[in-house]
Amino acid sequence: MKVSILGCGWLGLPLAKKLIGQGHVVRGSTTRAEKLSELRQAGIEPLWLQLSPEPKGIGWDYLLDTEVLIVNIPPRLAHTGATFHPAQIEHLATLLKNSSVQRVIYISSTSVYADDNRTAVEDDVTTPEQSAAPALVEAERILQNVGKTWLVLRCGGLMGYERIPAKYVSGKQNIATGHLPVNYLHRDDAIGIIETFLSLPNQAWNQTYNVVSPQHPTRREVYLGSCEPFGYIPPTFEDDASAPYKLISSERLQTHLPYSFLYPNPLYFYYAL
């Protein structure tokens, strides 16, 4: 099939390569003109496009002449404010309504859930008012109402390859949250899950799914376990019993999707410098 990926970054580029390897025709966008040649060399039909928040660049019609659109643009809420990302998606939705796109996948985040010391399931957050990241839920809703078959994937913290947990805490002192569970997802599993959904009929779509590894070891276990193999300085811990947490359930995904996680336990993720 024809698949377009809006945002060929850390997840989008290897996803595109995997889909091309499966025989799909892939068109992909980047906001960096110097990256166009890299996309072309990977077999992607490349486009320089931006949502700032209005569409910029030439080739939007070409990108949207596709069966499936995967929306994989980082919202950067801390830098752009709460209204920018929904405005981006609103402009995109206007383009989508008159396009040949049949199905839309929106890559969202488990940051929509608050740290409220419990297990979070998809139905806990269905409106912006219920969310710790209202702008993300507003973006989800815009795409759900665009008149296409849709899929919202709320991904956990994406790790793997050069994204090594120990890298971000090397040498830090008195980390207060070492006893809290992680909600991680290996990039290879994110790609595998998207690929599996593409092969399924529409009955499995029009649904929101939490996409996280089924197991949730503590941050201490994950940080320390990824220090020694790569020479990072182990951090120290001083647990704060009052530190809030959330544990993201992927039970709905595991129940509905015929997919077995490559890395169900973040303690055994594959990393490579």
Side-chain angles (χ1 to χ4, degrees):
M1 68 179 72
K2 288 194 293 185
V3 180
S4 289
I5 301 175
L6 182 61
C8 287
W10 191 78
L11 172 61
L13 179 55
L15 169 61
K17 291 178 179 178
K18 183 70 179 299
L19 294 178
I20 290 168
Q22 297 295 326
H24 301 293
V25 175
V26 178
R27 296 168 181 169
S29 78
T30 177
T31 59
R32 295 162 47 200
E34 67 274 14
K35 197 174 178 181
L36 290 171
S37 61
E38 181 183 357
L39 269 59
R40 189 175 293 109
Q41 290 171 6
I44 302 164
E45 299 181 27
L47 296 159
W48 180 85
L49 300 173
Q50 290 182 319
L51 287 170
S52 55
E54 68 283 355
K56 291 185 177 180
I58 298 172
W60 282 99
D61 288 346
Y62 188 68
L63 183 81
L64 300 181
D65 179 19
T66 188
E67 296 167 63
V68 180
L69 175 68
I70 300 172
V71 182
N72 179 43
I73 53 176
R76 307 191 191 285
L77 302 179
H79 301 287
T80 60
T83 60
F84 185 82
H85 186 59
Q88 287 180 304
I89 302 304
E90 195 73 72
H91 282 290
L92 176 62
T94 300
L95 297 175
L96 274 169
K97 287 175 183 176
N98 298 314
S99 75
S100 60
V101 173
Q102 299 169 24
R103 303 199 284 184
V104 179
I105 297 176
Y106 177 66
I107 306 300
S108 188
S109 168
T110 54
S111 62
V112 301
Y113 302 107
D115 292 335
D116 53 6
N117 303 320
R118 64 190 180 98
T119 298
V121 298
E122 292 83 353
D123 290 341
D124 289 337
V125 173
T126 58
T127 67
E129 294 75 24
Q130 296 171 318
S131 178
L136 271 180
V137 181
E138 183 60 33
E140 294 175 359
R141 293 180 72 185
I142 292 168
L143 289 178
Q144 289 166 3
N145 293 313
V146 81
K148 309 289 185 179
T149 300
W150 58 269
L151 195 64
V152 170
L153 302 182
R154 292 174 175 170
C155 293
L158 279 164
M159 291 290 176
Y161 297 93
E162 76 279 10
R163 284 194 184 179
I164 306 168
K167 179 192 299 186
Y168 308 105
V169 296
S170 179
K172 287 193 174 182
Q173 302 294 309
N174 302 324
I175 294 176
T177 56
H179 61 300
L180 302 185
V182 300
N183 297 290
Y184 284 166
L185 173 67
H186 196 279
R187 187 175 72 183
D188 288 349
D189 279 315
I191 291 171
I193 286 165
I194 293 170
E195 185 183 6
T196 303
F197 270 116
L198 291 177
S199 69
L200 296 180
N202 287 347
Q203 289 91 324
W205 289 55
N206 293 331
Q207 187 71 266
T208 298
Y209 293 95
N210 293 335
V211 187
V212 297
S213 295
Q215 298 182 41
H216 304 267
T218 65
R219 296 183 183 185
R220 177 188 281 104
E221 291 173 311
V222 172
Y223 293 162
L224 294 179
S226 57
C227 277
E228 185 177 353
F230 299 99
Y232 291 114
I233 301 171
T236 64
F237 299 90
E238 190 172 298
D239 292 344
D240 178 0
S242 66
Y245 75 93
K246 60 190 172 192
L247 194 152
I248 308 298
S249 169
S250 59
E251 183 177 350
R252 175 184 288 177
L253 180 80
Q254 295 176 69
T255 300
H256 289 85
L257 194 69
Y259 178 82
S260 296
F261 277 82
L262 299 171
Y263 302 100
N265 189 338
L267 286 176
Y268 306 108
F269 277 9
Y270 172 76
Y271 299 107
L273 288 173

